[in-house]
Amino acid sequence: MATERHYSPADRLLLQADAALRTLLPFSGQPYRPSPAVTEPEAELDADDARHVAGLMRINHTGEVCAQALYQGQALTAKLPEVRQAMEKAAEEEIDHLAWCEQRIRELGSRPSLLNPLFYGMSFGIGALAGLVSDRVSLGFVAATEQQVCKHLDEHLAQLPAEDRKSRAILEQMREDEQQHAENALEAGGLRFPAPVRFGMTLLSKVMTKSTYRI
Ligand SMILES: [Fe+2]
Ligand SMILES: [Fe+2]
C-alpha cells in the first residue's frame, strides 16, 4: 500500500520548481513509455504539410504543458492525500505526451511554442485555485479539461495527412490516455461542470490554439 511522504514547505517549493523546469526546458522531460511513433515509418511531407502538422503538434505540446501545470498546481493545494497522489500520477503520464509531442515537432523541423511559460503560469494558478476551492471542483476541472483535449485531438486526427503515421500514432495514444484521465477524475468524485463554465473553457482554449499554432 502506498504511504504518503511528508515534505516540508521548502521541499514542496523545490519540487514545484523542478517540475516547472522539466516542463519548460527543451528536451528535459524523460518519457516513461517509448513514443508510439518509433515503430511507424517516416512520411515524406511537403513543406506546407510539415508546417501544418508541426503547428498542430505545437498546440498539443502546449496543451500538455498546461496539463502539467494544472496537475502541479492542484497537487499543491489538494486536501485529500489520495487526490494529491492521483494528480501527481496523472502528471507523470502527461510527461510522456509532452516528450512525444516535442520529439515529433523537432522531427518536423520546428520548435515548441515560445508562449509556454505564460500558459504554464496561467494553468498553474487555475489549478492551485481549483484545489483551494475543493477537491471535487479540482477533479471536475481535470475532467472538463481532458474532455476539451479529446475534442482537439479528434479535430487534429481528422486534419493529419494520411501518410503521417508517426503523428497519428502519438495522437491516438494520447486520445486514449486523456479519455481515461477524464473518466478517472469523474469516478473520483469530480463535479460535472455546467455548460457556461465549459463554454468559458472552450474560449480560453481557442486563444491557446490560435496563438501557439504559429508562435
Ligand atoms: Fe496529455
Ligand atoms: Fe491527460
Side-chain angles (χ1 to χ4, degrees), residues 71 94 97 146 178 181:
Y71 282 118
E94 307 292 10
H97 302 168
E146 297 286 10
E178 313 301 16
H181 292 164

Side-chain angles (χ1 to χ4, degrees), residues 12-213:
R12 289 214 158 265
L13 196 70
L14 283 175
L15 285 171
Q16 293 295 340
D18 178 60
L21 286 177
R22 274 189 287 123
T23 306
L24 293 172
L25 290 179
F27 305 110
S28 52
Q30 278 302 320
Y32 295 84
R33 297 168 288 175
S35 170
V38 291
T39 52
E40 299 294 338
E42 186 57 274
E44 299 225 346
L45 299 174
D46 65 34
D48 281 348
D49 276 351
R51 200 176 312 121
H52 179 52
V53 176
L56 297 182
M57 295 308 280
R58 188 158 41 242
I59 293 171
N60 292 317
H61 181 265
T62 301
E64 296 301 324
V65 167
C66 292
Q68 274 297 313
L70 189 68
Y71 282 118
Q72 299 294 344
Q74 287 170 329
L76 187 70
T77 53
K79 289 163 193 73
L80 293 172
E82 55 269 28
V83 171
R84 196 183 296 151
Q85 270 174 6
M87 302 280 180
E88 280 165 358
K89 185 168 178 300
E92 273 175 20
E93 290 174 5
E94 307 292 10
I95 288 178
D96 286 350
H97 302 168
L98 193 72
W100 301 343
C101 286
E102 177 174 0
Q103 189 182 2
R104 189 64 190 138
I105 294 170
R106 307 273 180 200
E107 286 168 2
L108 291 162
S110 194
R111 47 137 188 87
S113 173
L114 300 173
L115 303 173
N116 283 343
L118 183 77
F119 285 111
Y120 186 94
M122 267 173 45
S123 305
F124 187 91
I126 292 173
L129 271 179
L132 279 180
V133 177
S134 81
D135 284 346
R136 288 198 70 199
V137 166
S138 173
L139 288 166
F141 214 85
V142 170
T145 305
E146 297 286 10
Q147 283 158 353
Q148 186 77 54
V149 174
C150 285
K151 257 171 80 183
H152 282 161
L153 289 172
D154 286 339
E155 286 167 22
H156 292 180
L157 279 164
Q159 288 180 42
L160 282 183
E163 62 270 33
D164 187 356
R165 284 162 54 185
K166 278 188 180 291
S167 301
R168 183 168 302 277
I170 293 172
L171 296 191
E172 279 174 351
Q173 184 59 52
M174 282 169 58
R175 175 75 172 75
E176 205 179 305
D177 293 348
E178 313 301 16
Q179 182 72 41
Q180 194 59 52
H181 292 164
E183 283 167 22
N184 290 353
L186 288 176
E187 271 169 29
L191 282 179
R192 284 171 202 275
F193 284 176
V197 177
R198 291 204 308 268
F199 180 69
M201 290 175 67
T202 304
L203 280 185
L204 249 179
S205 82
K206 284 236 156 44
V207 173
M208 187 277 267
T209 55
K210 288 270 180 269
S211 57
T212 57
Y213 179 73

